[in-house]
Amino acid sequence: MTELDPAVQQFVDAVNAGDAEAFFKTLTADASMSDDGQERDLADWTASEIFSTNGRMKVESVSGPTEFVADYSNDRWGGMRTAWRFTVRDGLISRFETGQA
């Protein structure tokens, strides 16, 4: 099985720990993201979709060091199958894209 890039693994671990401080340490200062193809404000999105709603992800399959499919759940939407893709620059995540898989 392909292993995740260390920055991506730290991202997953921080989400699952509910640790916003550790989460933001995985990102570049200018990090950006999209959800279902729509650009989102990263701070607002992570607050509403991860940290204030108990977001958790269980990685189901890894297609490369920066791509995986996960069962993602939070208190707002319940569970859903999601695809995640990351751009890693100098050991930090500069962009991530997620959406239903």
Coordinates of all heavy atoms in Angstrom, one line a residue:
M1 N 0.8 -1.2 0.0 CA 0.0 0.0 0.0 C 0.9 1.3 0.0 O 1.9 1.3 0.7 CB -0.9 0.0 1.2 CG -1.8 1.2 1.4 SD -2.9 0.9 2.8 CE -3.5 2.6 3.0
T2 N 0.5 2.2 -0.8 CA 1.2 3.5 -0.9 C 1.1 4.2 0.4 O 0.0 4.3 1.0 CB 0.7 4.3 -2.0 OG1 0.8 3.6 -3.2 CG2 1.4 5.6 -2.1
E3 N 2.2 4.8 0.9 CA 2.1 5.6 2.2 C 1.9 7.0 1.8 O 2.3 7.5 0.8 CB 3.5 5.4 2.9 CG 3.6 4.1 3.5 CD 4.8 4.0 4.5 OE1 5.2 5.1 5.0 OE2 5.3 2.9 4.7
L4 N 1.2 7.7 2.7 CA 0.9 9.1 2.6 C 2.2 9.9 2.8 O 3.1 9.6 3.6 CB -0.2 9.6 3.5 CG -1.5 9.0 3.3 CD1 -2.5 9.5 4.4 CD2 -2.1 9.5 1.9
D5 N 2.3 11.0 2.1 CA 3.4 12.0 2.4 C 3.3 12.4 3.9 O 2.2 12.5 4.4 CB 3.1 13.2 1.5 CG 4.1 14.3 1.7 OD1 4.0 15.1 2.7 OD2 5.1 14.4 0.9
P6 N 4.4 12.6 4.5 CA 4.4 12.9 6.0 C 3.5 14.1 6.3 O 2.8 14.1 7.3 CB 5.8 13.2 6.3 CG 6.6 12.4 5.3 CD 5.8 12.4 4.1
A7 N 3.5 15.1 5.5 CA 2.6 16.3 5.8 C 1.2 15.9 5.7 O 0.3 16.4 6.5 CB 3.0 17.5 4.8
V8 N 0.8 15.1 4.7 CA -0.6 14.7 4.6 C -1.0 13.8 5.7 O -2.1 13.9 6.3 CB -0.8 14.0 3.2 CG1 -2.2 13.4 3.1 CG2 -0.5 14.9 2.1
Q9 N -0.1 12.9 6.2 CA -0.4 12.1 7.3 C -0.6 12.9 8.6 O -1.5 12.7 9.4 CB 0.7 11.0 7.6 CG 0.4 10.1 8.7 CD -0.9 9.2 8.4 OE1 -0.9 8.5 7.4 NE2 -1.9 9.3 9.3
Q10 N 0.2 14.0 8.7 CA 0.1 14.9 9.9 C -1.3 15.6 9.8 O -1.9 15.8 10.8 CB 1.2 15.8 10.0 CG 2.5 15.1 10.3 CD 3.7 16.0 10.2 OE1 3.6 17.2 9.7 NE2 4.9 15.5 10.6
F11 N -1.7 16.0 8.6 CA -3.0 16.6 8.4 C -4.1 15.7 8.9 O -5.0 16.1 9.7 CB -3.1 16.9 6.9 CG -4.4 17.5 6.4 CD1 -4.5 18.9 6.1 CD2 -5.5 16.7 6.2 CE1 -5.7 19.4 5.6 CE2 -6.7 17.3 5.7 CZ -6.8 18.7 5.4
V12 N -4.1 14.5 8.4 CA -5.1 13.5 8.8 C -5.1 13.3 10.3 O -6.2 13.3 11.0 CB -4.9 12.1 8.1 CG1 -5.8 11.0 8.7 CG2 -5.1 12.3 6.6
D13 N -3.9 13.1 10.9 CA -3.8 12.9 12.3 C -4.4 14.1 13.1 O -5.0 14.0 14.1 CB -2.4 12.7 12.7 CG -1.8 11.4 12.2 OD1 -2.6 10.5 11.8 OD2 -0.6 11.2 12.2
A14 N -4.1 15.3 12.7 CA -4.6 16.6 13.3 C -6.1 16.7 13.3 O -6.7 17.0 14.2 CB -3.9 17.8 12.7
V15 N -6.6 16.3 12.1 CA -8.1 16.3 12.0 C -8.7 15.4 13.0 O -9.6 15.7 13.7 CB -8.5 16.0 10.5 CG1 -10.0 15.7 10.4 CG2 -8.2 17.1 9.5
N16 N -8.2 14.2 13.0 CA -8.8 13.1 13.8 C -8.6 13.4 15.3 O -9.4 12.9 16.1 CB -8.2 11.8 13.5 CG -8.8 11.3 12.1 OD1 -9.9 11.7 11.7 ND2 -8.1 10.4 11.5
A17 N -7.6 14.2 15.7 CA -7.3 14.6 17.1 C -8.1 15.8 17.4 O -8.2 16.2 18.6 CB -5.8 14.8 17.3
G18 N -8.8 16.5 16.4 CA -9.5 17.7 16.7 C -8.5 18.8 17.1 O -8.9 19.7 17.8
D19 N -7.3 18.8 16.6 CA -6.2 19.7 17.1 C -6.0 20.7 16.0 O -5.2 20.5 15.1 CB -4.9 18.8 17.3 CG -3.8 19.6 17.9 OD1 -3.8 20.9 17.8 OD2 -2.9 19.0 18.5
A20 N -6.6 21.9 16.1 CA -6.5 22.9 15.1 C -5.1 23.5 15.1 O -4.6 23.8 14.0 CB -7.5 24.1 15.5
E21 N -4.4 23.6 16.2 CA -3.1 24.1 16.2 C -2.1 23.2 15.3 O -1.4 23.7 14.5 CB -2.5 24.2 17.6 CG -1.1 24.9 17.7 CD -0.6 25.0 19.1 OE1 -1.4 25.0 20.0 OE2 0.6 25.2 19.3
A22 N -2.2 21.9 15.6 CA -1.4 21.0 14.8 C -1.8 21.0 13.3 O -0.9 20.9 12.5 CB -1.5 19.5 15.4
F23 N -3.1 21.1 13.1 CA -3.6 21.1 11.7 C -3.0 22.3 11.0 O -2.4 22.1 9.9 CB -5.1 21.3 11.7 CG -5.7 21.5 10.4 CD1 -6.1 20.4 9.6 CD2 -6.0 22.7 9.9 CE1 -6.6 20.5 8.4 CE2 -6.6 22.9 8.6 CZ -6.9 21.8 7.9
F24 N -3.0 23.5 11.5 CA -2.5 24.7 10.8 C -1.0 24.6 10.7 O -0.5 25.3 9.7 CB -3.1 26.0 11.4 CG -4.5 26.2 11.1 CD1 -5.5 26.0 12.0 CD2 -4.8 26.6 9.8 CE1 -6.8 26.2 11.7 CE2 -6.2 26.8 9.4 CZ -7.2 26.6 10.4
K25 N -0.3 23.9 11.5 CA 1.1 23.7 11.4 C 1.5 22.9 10.2 O 2.6 22.9 9.7 CB 1.7 23.1 12.6 CG 1.8 24.1 13.8 CD 2.5 23.5 15.0 CE 2.6 24.5 16.1 NZ 3.2 23.9 17.3
T26 N 0.5 22.1 9.6 CA 0.8 21.3 8.4 C 0.7 22.2 7.1 O 1.0 21.7 6.1 CB -0.2 20.1 8.3 OG1 -1.5 20.6 8.0 CG2 -0.2 19.3 9.5
L27 N 0.2 23.4 7.2 CA -0.1 24.2 6.1 C 0.9 25.4 5.9 O 1.4 25.9 6.9 CB -1.5 24.8 6.2 CG -2.7 23.9 6.5 CD1 -3.9 24.7 6.7 CD2 -2.8 22.9 5.3
T28 N 1.1 25.7 4.6 CA 1.9 26.9 4.3 C 1.0 28.2 4.7 O -0.2 28.1 4.9 CB 2.2 27.0 2.8 OG1 1.0 27.1 2.1 CG2 3.0 25.8 2.3
A29 N 1.7 29.3 4.9 CA 1.0 30.5 5.3 C 0.0 31.0 4.2 O -1.0 31.6 4.5 CB 2.0 31.7 5.5
D30 N 0.2 30.6 2.9 CA -0.7 31.0 1.8 C -1.5 29.8 1.3 O -2.0 29.8 0.2 CB 0.1 31.6 0.7 CG 1.1 30.6 0.1 OD1 1.4 29.5 0.7 OD2 1.6 30.8 -1.0
A31 N -1.7 28.8 2.2 CA -2.5 27.6 1.8 C -3.9 28.0 1.3 O -4.5 29.0 1.8 CB -2.6 26.6 2.9
S32 N -4.4 27.2 0.3 CA -5.7 27.4 -0.2 C -6.4 26.1 -0.3 O -5.8 25.0 -0.2 CB -5.7 28.1 -1.6 OG -5.0 27.2 -2.5
M33 N -7.8 26.1 -0.5 CA -8.5 24.8 -0.6 C -9.8 25.0 -1.4 O -10.2 26.1 -1.6 CB -8.8 24.3 0.7 CG -9.6 25.1 1.7 SD -11.4 24.9 1.7 CE -11.6 23.1 1.7
S34 N -10.3 23.9 -1.9 CA -11.6 23.9 -2.5 C -12.4 22.7 -2.0 O -11.8 21.7 -1.6 CB -11.5 23.8 -4.1 OG -11.0 22.6 -4.5
D35 N -13.7 22.8 -2.1 CA -14.6 21.8 -1.7 C -15.6 21.6 -2.8 O -16.3 22.6 -3.2 CB -15.3 22.2 -0.4 CG -16.3 21.1 0.2 OD1 -16.3 20.0 -0.4 OD2 -17.0 21.4 1.1
D36 N -15.7 20.4 -3.3 CA -16.6 20.1 -4.5 C -16.4 21.1 -5.6 O -17.4 21.5 -6.2 CB -18.1 20.0 -4.1 CG -18.4 18.7 -3.3 OD1 -17.8 17.7 -3.6 OD2 -19.3 18.8 -2.5
G37 N -15.1 21.5 -5.9 CA -14.8 22.3 -7.0 C -15.0 23.8 -6.7 O -14.7 24.6 -7.6
Q38 N -15.4 24.2 -5.5 CA -15.7 25.6 -5.2 C -14.6 26.1 -4.3 O -14.3 25.4 -3.2 CB -17.0 25.8 -4.5 CG -18.2 25.4 -5.3 CD -18.4 26.3 -6.5 OE1 -18.3 27.5 -6.4 NE2 -18.6 25.7 -7.7
E39 N -13.9 27.2 -4.6 CA -12.9 27.8 -3.7 C -13.6 28.2 -2.4 O -14.7 28.7 -2.4 CB -12.3 29.0 -4.4 CG -11.4 28.6 -5.6 CD -10.2 27.8 -5.2 OE1 -9.5 28.1 -4.2 OE2 -10.0 26.8 -5.9
R40 N -12.9 27.9 -1.3 CA -13.4 28.2 0.0 C -12.4 29.0 0.8 O -11.2 28.8 0.6 CB -13.8 26.9 0.8 CG -14.8 26.0 0.1 CD -16.1 26.6 0.0 NE -17.1 25.6 -0.5 CZ -18.3 25.9 -1.0 NH1 -18.7 27.1 -0.9 NH2 -19.0 25.0 -1.4
D41 N -12.9 29.7 1.7 CA -12.0 30.4 2.7 C -11.5 29.3 3.7 O -12.3 28.7 4.3 CB -12.7 31.5 3.5 CG -11.8 32.1 4.5 OD1 -11.7 31.6 5.6 OD2 -11.2 33.1 4.2
L42 N -10.2 29.0 3.7 CA -9.7 27.9 4.4 C -10.0 28.0 5.9 O -10.5 27.0 6.5 CB -8.2 27.8 4.2 CG -7.5 26.5 4.7 CD1 -6.4 26.1 3.8 CD2 -7.0 26.7 6.1
A43 N -9.9 29.1 6.6 CA -10.1 29.2 8.0 C -11.6 29.0 8.3 O -12.0 28.3 9.2 CB -9.7 30.6 8.5
D44 N -12.5 29.7 7.5 CA -13.9 29.5 7.7 C -14.4 28.1 7.5 O -15.1 27.5 8.3 CB -14.7 30.4 6.8 CG -14.6 31.9 7.1 OD1 -14.1 32.2 8.3 OD2 -15.0 32.7 6.3
W45 N -13.9 27.4 6.4 CA -14.3 26.1 6.1 C -13.8 25.1 7.1 O -14.6 24.3 7.6 CB -13.7 25.7 4.7 CG -14.2 24.4 4.2 CD1 -15.3 24.1 3.5 CD2 -13.6 23.1 4.4 NE1 -15.5 22.8 3.2 CE2 -14.5 22.1 3.8 CE3 -12.5 22.6 5.1 CZ2 -14.2 20.8 3.8 CZ3 -12.2 21.3 5.1 CH2 -13.0 20.4 4.5
T46 N -12.6 25.2 7.6 CA -12.1 24.2 8.6 C -12.8 24.4 9.9 O -13.1 23.5 10.6 CB -10.6 24.3 8.7 OG1 -10.2 25.6 9.1 CG2 -9.9 23.8 7.5
A47 N -13.2 25.7 10.2 CA -13.9 25.9 11.5 C -15.3 25.2 11.4 O -15.7 24.5 12.3 CB -14.0 27.4 11.7
S48 N -16.0 25.4 10.3 CA -17.3 24.9 10.2 C -17.4 23.4 9.9 O -18.3 22.7 10.3 CB -18.2 25.7 9.2 OG -17.8 25.5 7.9
E49 N -16.4 22.9 9.1 CA -16.5 21.5 8.6 C -15.7 20.5 9.4 O -15.9 19.3 9.3 CB -16.1 21.4 7.1 CG -17.0 22.2 6.2 CD -18.4 21.8 6.2 OE1 -18.7 20.6 6.3 OE2 -19.3 22.7 6.0
I50 N -14.7 21.0 10.2 CA -13.8 20.2 11.0 C -13.9 20.4 12.4 O -14.4 19.6 13.2 CB -12.4 20.3 10.5 CG1 -12.2 19.9 9.0 CG2 -11.5 19.4 11.4 CD1 -10.8 20.1 8.5
F51 N -13.5 21.6 12.9 CA -13.2 21.8 14.3 C -14.4 22.1 15.1 O -14.4 21.8 16.3 CB -12.1 22.8 14.5 CG -10.8 22.3 13.8 CD1 -10.3 22.9 12.7 CD2 -10.2 21.2 14.4 CE1 -9.1 22.4 12.1 CE2 -9.0 20.7 13.8 CZ -8.5 21.3 12.6
S52 N -15.4 22.8 14.6 CA -16.6 23.0 15.4 C -17.7 21.9 15.3 O -18.7 21.9 16.0 CB -17.2 24.4 15.1 OG -17.8 24.3 13.8
T53 N -17.4 21.0 14.4 CA -18.4 19.9 14.1 C -17.8 18.5 14.3 O -18.3 17.5 13.8 CB -18.9 20.0 12.7 OG1 -17.9 20.0 11.8 CG2 -19.8 21.3 12.5
N54 N -16.7 18.4 15.0 CA -16.1 17.1 15.4 C -15.8 16.3 14.1 O -16.0 15.1 14.1 CB -17.1 16.4 16.2 CG -16.4 15.4 17.2 OD1 -15.3 15.5 17.5 ND2 -17.2 14.4 17.7
G55 N -15.1 16.9 13.1 CA -14.8 16.2 11.9 C -13.8 15.1 12.1 O -12.8 15.3 12.9
R56 N -14.0 14.0 11.4 CA -13.1 12.8 11.5 C -13.0 12.2 10.2 O -14.0 12.2 9.4 CB -13.6 11.8 12.5 CG -13.7 12.3 14.0 CD -12.3 12.6 14.6 NE -12.4 13.0 15.9 CZ -12.4 14.3 16.3 NH1 -12.3 15.3 15.4 NH2 -12.4 14.6 17.6
M57 N -11.8 11.6 9.9 CA -11.7 10.9 8.6 C -11.0 9.5 8.8 O -10.1 9.4 9.6 CB -10.9 11.7 7.6 CG -9.5 12.1 7.9 SD -8.6 13.0 6.6 CE -9.6 14.4 6.3
K58 N -11.6 8.5 8.1 CA -11.0 7.2 8.1 C -10.5 7.0 6.6 O -11.4 6.8 5.7 CB -12.0 6.2 8.5 CG -11.4 4.8 8.5 CD -12.4 3.7 8.9 CE -11.8 2.4 8.8 NZ -12.8 1.3 8.8
V59 N -9.2 6.9 6.4 CA -8.7 6.7 5.1 C -9.0 5.3 4.6 O -8.7 4.3 5.3 CB -7.2 7.0 5.1 CG1 -6.6 6.7 3.7 CG2 -6.8 8.4 5.5
E60 N -9.7 5.2 3.5 CA -10.1 3.9 2.9 C -9.1 3.4 1.9 O -8.8 2.2 1.9 CB -11.5 4.1 2.3 CG -12.6 4.3 3.2 CD -14.0 4.4 2.5 OE1 -14.0 4.4 1.3 OE2 -15.0 4.4 3.2
S61 N -8.7 4.3 1.0 CA -7.7 3.9 0.0 C -6.8 5.0 -0.3 O -7.2 6.2 -0.4 CB -8.4 3.4 -1.2 OG -9.2 4.4 -1.8
V62 N -5.5 4.7 -0.6 CA -4.5 5.7 -1.0 C -4.1 5.4 -2.4 O -3.7 4.3 -2.8 CB -3.3 5.5 0.0 CG1 -2.2 6.5 -0.4 CG2 -3.7 5.8 1.4
S63 N -4.2 6.5 -3.2 CA -3.9 6.3 -4.6 C -2.5 6.9 -5.0 O -2.0 6.8 -6.0 CB -4.9 6.8 -5.6 OG -5.3 8.2 -5.2
G64 N -1.9 7.6 -4.0 CA -0.6 8.2 -4.1 C -0.3 8.9 -2.8 O -1.1 9.0 -2.0
P65 N 0.9 9.4 -2.7 CA 1.3 10.0 -1.4 C 0.5 11.2 -1.1 O 0.5 11.6 0.1 CB 2.8 10.3 -1.6 CG 3.1 10.1 -3.1 CD 2.0 9.3 -3.7
T66 N -0.1 11.8 -2.1 CA -0.9 13.0 -1.8 C -2.4 12.9 -2.2 O -3.1 13.9 -2.4 CB -0.3 14.2 -2.5 OG1 -0.2 14.0 -3.9 CG2 1.1 14.5 -2.0
E67 N -2.9 11.7 -2.3 CA -4.3 11.5 -2.7 C -4.8 10.3 -2.0 O -4.2 9.2 -2.0 CB -4.4 11.2 -4.3 CG -4.0 12.4 -5.1 CD -4.1 12.1 -6.6 OE1 -5.0 11.3 -7.0 OE2 -3.5 12.7 -7.4
F68 N -6.1 10.4 -1.5 CA -6.7 9.3 -0.9 C -8.3 9.5 -0.9 O -8.7 10.6 -1.1 CB -6.2 9.1 0.6 CG -6.5 10.2 1.5 CD1 -7.7 10.4 2.2 CD2 -5.5 11.1 1.8 CE1 -7.9 11.4 3.1 CE2 -5.6 12.1 2.7 CZ -6.9 12.3 3.4
V69 N -8.9 8.4 -0.6 CA -10.4 8.5 -0.4 C -10.6 8.1 1.0 O -10.0 7.2 1.6 CB -11.1 7.5 -1.4 CG1 -12.6 7.3 -1.0 CG2 -10.9 7.9 -2.8
A70 N -11.5 8.8 1.7 CA -11.8 8.6 3.1 C -13.3 8.6 3.4 O -14.1 9.3 2.6 CB -11.1 9.7 3.9
D71 N -13.7 7.9 4.4 CA -15.0 8.1 5.0 C -14.9 9.2 5.9 O -14.2 9.2 7.0 CB -15.4 6.8 5.7 CG -16.7 6.9 6.4 OD1 -17.5 7.8 6.0 OD2 -17.0 6.1 7.4
Y72 N -15.5 10.4 5.6 CA -15.4 11.6 6.4 C -16.7 11.8 7.1 O -17.8 11.6 6.5 CB -15.1 12.8 5.5 CG -14.8 14.0 6.3 CD1 -13.6 14.2 6.9 CD2 -15.8 14.9 6.6 CE1 -13.4 15.3 7.7 CE2 -15.6 16.0 7.4 CZ -14.4 16.2 8.0 OH -14.2 17.3 8.8
S73 N -16.6 12.1 8.4 CA -17.9 12.4 9.1 C -17.7 13.6 10.0 O -16.6 14.0 10.4 CB -18.3 11.2 10.0 OG -17.3 11.0 10.9
N74 N -18.8 14.3 10.2 CA -18.9 15.4 11.2 C -20.3 15.5 11.7 O -21.2 14.8 11.2 CB -18.3 16.7 10.6 CG -19.1 17.3 9.5 OD1 -20.3 17.1 9.4 ND2 -18.5 18.1 8.7
D75 N -20.4 16.3 12.7 CA -21.8 16.4 13.4 C -22.8 17.2 12.5 O -24.0 17.1 12.8 CB -21.6 17.1 14.7 CG -20.8 16.3 15.7 OD1 -20.6 15.1 15.5 OD2 -20.3 16.9 16.7
R76 N -22.3 17.9 11.5 CA -23.2 18.7 10.7 C -23.8 17.8 9.5 O -25.0 17.9 9.3 CB -22.4 19.8 10.1 CG -23.1 20.7 9.2 CD -22.2 21.9 8.7 NE -23.0 22.8 8.0 CZ -22.4 23.8 7.3 NH1 -21.1 24.0 7.4 NH2 -23.2 24.7 6.6
W77 N -23.0 17.0 8.9 CA -23.4 16.3 7.7 C -23.5 14.8 7.9 O -24.0 14.1 7.0 CB -22.5 16.5 6.5 CG -22.3 18.0 6.2 CD1 -21.2 18.8 6.4 CD2 -23.3 18.8 5.5 NE1 -21.5 20.0 5.9 CE2 -22.7 20.1 5.4 CE3 -24.6 18.6 5.1 CZ2 -23.4 21.2 4.8 CZ3 -25.3 19.7 4.5 CH2 -24.7 20.9 4.4
G78 N -23.0 14.2 9.0 CA -22.9 12.8 9.1 C -21.7 12.3 8.4 O -20.7 12.9 8.2
G79 N -21.9 11.0 7.8 CA -20.7 10.4 7.1 C -20.9 10.5 5.6 O -22.0 10.5 5.1
M80 N -19.8 10.6 4.9 CA -19.8 10.6 3.5 C -18.4 10.2 2.9 O -17.4 10.4 3.6 CB -20.1 12.0 2.9 CG -19.1 13.1 3.2 SD -19.6 14.7 2.7 CE -20.5 15.1 4.2
R81 N -18.4 9.6 1.8 CA -17.2 9.2 1.1 C -16.6 10.4 0.4 O -17.3 11.0 -0.4 CB -17.5 8.0 0.2 CG -16.3 7.3 -0.3 CD -16.8 6.2 -1.2 NE -15.8 6.0 -2.2 CZ -15.1 5.0 -2.4 NH1 -15.2 3.9 -1.7 NH2 -14.1 4.9 -3.3
T82 N -15.4 10.7 0.7 CA -14.8 11.9 0.1 C -13.4 11.6 -0.5 O -12.7 10.7 0.0 CB -14.6 13.0 1.2 OG1 -13.9 12.5 2.3 CG2 -15.9 13.5 1.7
A83 N -13.1 12.4 -1.5 CA -11.7 12.3 -2.2 C -10.9 13.5 -1.7 O -11.5 14.6 -1.6 CB -11.9 12.3 -3.7
W84 N -9.7 13.3 -1.5 CA -8.8 14.4 -1.0 C -7.5 14.4 -1.9 O -6.9 13.3 -2.1 CB -8.4 14.1 0.5 CG -9.5 14.2 1.4 CD1 -10.5 13.2 1.6 CD2 -9.9 15.3 2.3 NE1 -11.4 13.6 2.6 CE2 -11.0 14.9 3.0 CE3 -9.3 16.5 2.5 CZ2 -11.6 15.7 3.9 CZ3 -9.9 17.4 3.4 CH2 -11.1 17.0 4.1
R85 N -7.1 15.6 -2.3 CA -5.9 15.7 -3.1 C -5.1 16.9 -2.5 O -5.7 17.9 -2.2 CB -6.2 16.0 -4.5 CG -6.8 14.8 -5.2 CD -7.1 15.1 -6.7 NE -7.8 14.0 -7.3 CZ -9.1 13.8 -7.2 NH1 -9.8 14.6 -6.6 NH2 -9.6 12.7 -7.8
F86 N -3.8 16.7 -2.4 CA -3.0 17.7 -1.7 C -1.8 18.1 -2.6 O -1.3 17.3 -3.4 CB -2.4 17.1 -0.4 CG -3.4 16.8 0.6 CD1 -4.1 15.5 0.5 CD2 -3.7 17.6 1.6 CE1 -5.0 15.2 1.5 CE2 -4.7 17.2 2.6 CZ -5.3 16.0 2.5
T87 N -1.4 19.4 -2.5 CA -0.2 19.9 -3.1 C 0.8 20.2 -1.9 O 0.4 20.9 -1.0 CB -0.4 21.2 -3.9 OG1 -1.4 20.9 -4.9 CG2 0.9 21.7 -4.5
V88 N 1.9 19.5 -1.9 CA 2.9 19.7 -0.8 C 4.1 20.5 -1.4 O 4.6 20.2 -2.4 CB 3.4 18.3 -0.3 CG1 4.4 18.5 0.8 CG2 2.1 17.6 0.3
R89 N 4.5 21.5 -0.6 CA 5.6 22.4 -1.0 C 6.5 22.5 0.2 O 6.1 23.0 1.3 CB 5.1 23.7 -1.5 CG 6.2 24.7 -2.0 CD 5.6 26.0 -2.5 NE 5.1 26.8 -1.4 CZ 4.0 27.5 -1.3 NH1 3.2 27.5 -2.4 NH2 3.7 28.2 -0.3
D90 N 7.8 22.1 0.1 CA 8.8 22.3 1.2 C 8.3 21.6 2.5 O 8.4 22.2 3.5 CB 9.1 23.8 1.4 CG 9.7 24.4 0.1 OD1 10.4 23.7 -0.6 OD2 9.5 25.6 -0.1
G91 N 7.6 20.5 2.3 CA 7.2 19.7 3.5 C 5.9 20.2 4.2 O 5.5 19.7 5.2
L92 N 5.2 21.2 3.5 CA 4.0 21.7 4.1 C 2.9 21.6 3.0 O 3.3 21.7 1.8 CB 4.1 23.1 4.6 CG 5.0 23.3 5.8 CD1 5.2 24.8 6.0 CD2 4.5 22.6 7.0
I93 N 1.7 21.6 3.3 CA 0.6 21.6 2.4 C 0.2 23.0 1.9 O -0.1 23.8 2.8 CB -0.7 20.9 3.0 CG1 -0.3 19.4 3.3 CG2 -1.9 21.0 2.1 CD1 -1.3 18.7 4.2
S94 N 0.3 23.2 0.6 CA 0.0 24.6 0.1 C -1.4 24.6 -0.5 O -1.9 25.7 -0.6 CB 1.0 25.0 -1.0 OG 1.0 24.1 -2.1
R95 N -2.0 23.4 -0.7 CA -3.4 23.4 -1.2 C -3.9 22.0 -1.0 O -3.2 21.0 -1.1 CB -3.4 23.7 -2.7 CG -4.8 23.6 -3.3 CD -4.9 24.2 -4.7 NE -6.2 24.1 -5.2 CZ -7.2 24.9 -5.0 NH1 -7.1 25.9 -4.1 NH2 -8.4 24.8 -5.5
F96 N -5.2 22.0 -0.7 CA -5.9 20.7 -0.7 C -7.3 20.9 -1.3 O -7.9 22.0 -1.3 CB -6.0 20.1 0.7 CG -6.9 20.8 1.7 CD1 -8.2 20.5 1.9 CD2 -6.3 21.7 2.6 CE1 -9.0 21.1 2.9 CE2 -7.1 22.4 3.5 CZ -8.4 22.0 3.7
E97 N -7.7 19.9 -1.9 CA -9.0 19.8 -2.6 C -9.8 18.6 -2.1 O -9.2 17.5 -2.0 CB -8.8 19.7 -4.1 CG -8.1 20.9 -4.7 CD -7.6 20.7 -6.1 OE1 -7.9 19.7 -6.7 OE2 -7.1 21.7 -6.7
T98 N -11.0 18.8 -1.8 CA -11.8 17.7 -1.3 C -13.2 17.8 -2.0 O -13.6 18.8 -2.5 CB -12.0 17.7 0.2 OG1 -12.7 16.5 0.6 CG2 -12.7 18.9 0.7
G99 N -13.9 16.7 -2.0 CA -15.2 16.6 -2.5 C -15.7 15.2 -2.4 O -15.0 14.3 -2.0
Q100 N -17.0 15.0 -2.7 CA -17.6 13.7 -2.6 C -17.0 12.8 -3.6 O -16.7 13.2 -4.7 CB -19.1 13.8 -2.7 CG -19.7 14.5 -1.6 CD -21.2 14.3 -1.5 OE1 -21.7 13.2 -1.7 NE2 -21.9 15.4 -1.2
A101 N -16.7 11.5 -3.2 CA -16.1 10.6 -4.1 C -17.1 9.7 -4.7 O -18.2 9.5 -4.2 CB -15.1 9.7 -3.3

